[in-house]
Amino acid sequence: MTTFNDFGLHADINRALAAKDYTQPTPIQTQAIPPLMKGRDLCGIAQTGTGKTAGFSLPSIHHLLTYPHRANPRSCRMLVLAPTRELAAQIAQSCRDYGRFTKLSVSTVFGGVPINKQIRDLSGGVDILVATPGRLLDLIDQRALRLDDVEIFVLDEADQMMDMGFIHSLRRVAKLLPSRRQNLFFSATMPKEIAHLAEQFLEDPVTVSVTPAATTVEKISQYSTFVEQKEKQALLHSVIASEDIDRALIFTRTKHGADRVVRHLAGAGIKAMAIHGNKSQSQRTHALQAFRSGEIKLLVATDIAARGIDVSGVSHVINFEIPNVPEQYVHRIGRTARAGAEGKAISFIAPDERPYMRDIERVTRSKAEPMPLPENFNELVRNLPKPAQPPRDTGSKGRDPNRQRQDANRGRNGGKPQGERGPRRDGAAGEGAEGQRKRRFRPRNKSVGAHKGAVTRVG
Ligand code: AMP
């Protein structure tokens, strides 16, 4: 059995691993670390929760320590691109943890926060920079950063990047990178267009795969209940009352749907928070912290906001609405059953969502077990407490979707709204992320797309 000592990692890294109580490498680490230590390019098919962050950051930190030199001003030695600010922050934190006994500097840049501090952070140069694509390009355009010194380039969650419309940003970044570099490319799924993107970044890569959709899904007990859309709130209350929940992530397809669920739960005196693209960065961070610390057991999230979130102890994933892309289902339920723990996924399927579920079962080669409605369900529906009124300041930025759309267009047209949030090109970082994604998103599966209109109406 492989141990961390077998990799020959720098002693300071081994110390950090011991401090984190990591005793054994995960499968992606066992497969990825040796070729990465040799300087090979890597194509990793793995999702969050597999230990891929350590898989790419440990050998990279080892490289930075083995060839020590100061980063040049306004440059970085290692660049990690992630689709969302939450994931970027999480990766940066992991790098800090693994590099805690070293002097390596780690910086994060993403939209939604003032750019000036980021410009200052970069001015002296940094060893490891974790960024979302839009803000990265803004900083480059403002001459706060150059990429010609990048020794290691990591592209994380490539499939999500494509879904979010980052392809042009990625192409621009690719052109700015030096030709001599090590490339690491990660994606949870590898459809044709992602494989094509990988080819553009990688040279003679080693490919490692640890999460074929089916095997990930197999570890999780999946249940599904057929229910009318308007009765889903009552079903949610019943599930929360009857299940032994440590922490549950509840997924909706829309931001407003997420807020509505929180208000309904609040009406029944059940505490929950929502995390989605209309929330400010500090609200998102606060909700995540409350969920991590156990202050709240229920976090309601849209797909994009929840991407890459790593919270241990998620006992349940509840699909309040079914995603219209099967891979999204895999991403969602992958938030539970971490590190061999038991996980349960429960899907609420309205009549017009049945085709989505069929697609999901086909792609994941698994079948959710039917979970019947509770016997007293009609009574539950009749007695459902009224939702709490939205507070004046809902915690959302409270802007109507049309207004967001106009703003997004303004950003693209060059008349960009300057200031804290910066331009909208970084869909992940700005609040327009989900709006942008909807506009650019094309369902990969035609039969799913055919039902899109019907289901979008639901949210
Ligand atoms: P990741 O897929 O990189 O987001 O990692 C998922 C979680 O697994 C994180 O909380 C890591 O801290 C944890 N982790 C990564 N590698 C190991 C390991 N070898 N042993 C125990 N936990 C790990």
Side-chain angles (χ1 to χ4, degrees), residues 4 22 24-26 29 47-54 98 310:
F4 279 108
Y22 287 8
Q24 226 188 301
T26 66
Q29 291 161 5
Q47 60 174 269
T48 306
T50 53
K52 73 179 154 121
T53 315
Y98 303 138
D310 174 42

Side-chain angles (χ1 to χ4, degrees), residues 230-294:
K230 61 181 188 303
E231 294 174 349
K232 285 185 175 182
Q233 300 287 356
L235 180 59
L236 181 61
H237 287 222
S238 147
V239 165
I240 290 170
S242 59
E243 290 284 321
D244 190 10
I245 292 178
D246 289 331
R247 276 195 192 92
L249 258 174
I250 301 165
F251 282 96
T252 60
R253 258 198 322 272
T254 68
K255 296 175 259 194
H256 295 295
D259 285 336
R260 220 170 14 241
V261 169
V262 171
R263 283 204 304 277
H264 263 280
L265 292 172
I270 302 168
K271 210 168 154 194
M273 289 185 191
I275 174 168
H276 56 63
N278 267 14
K279 299 279 184 189
S280 69
Q281 182 59 39
S282 67
Q283 287 165 332
R284 289 161 74 154
T285 308
H286 173 66
L288 255 184
Q289 268 167 0
F291 190 54
R292 278 208 174 98
S293 70

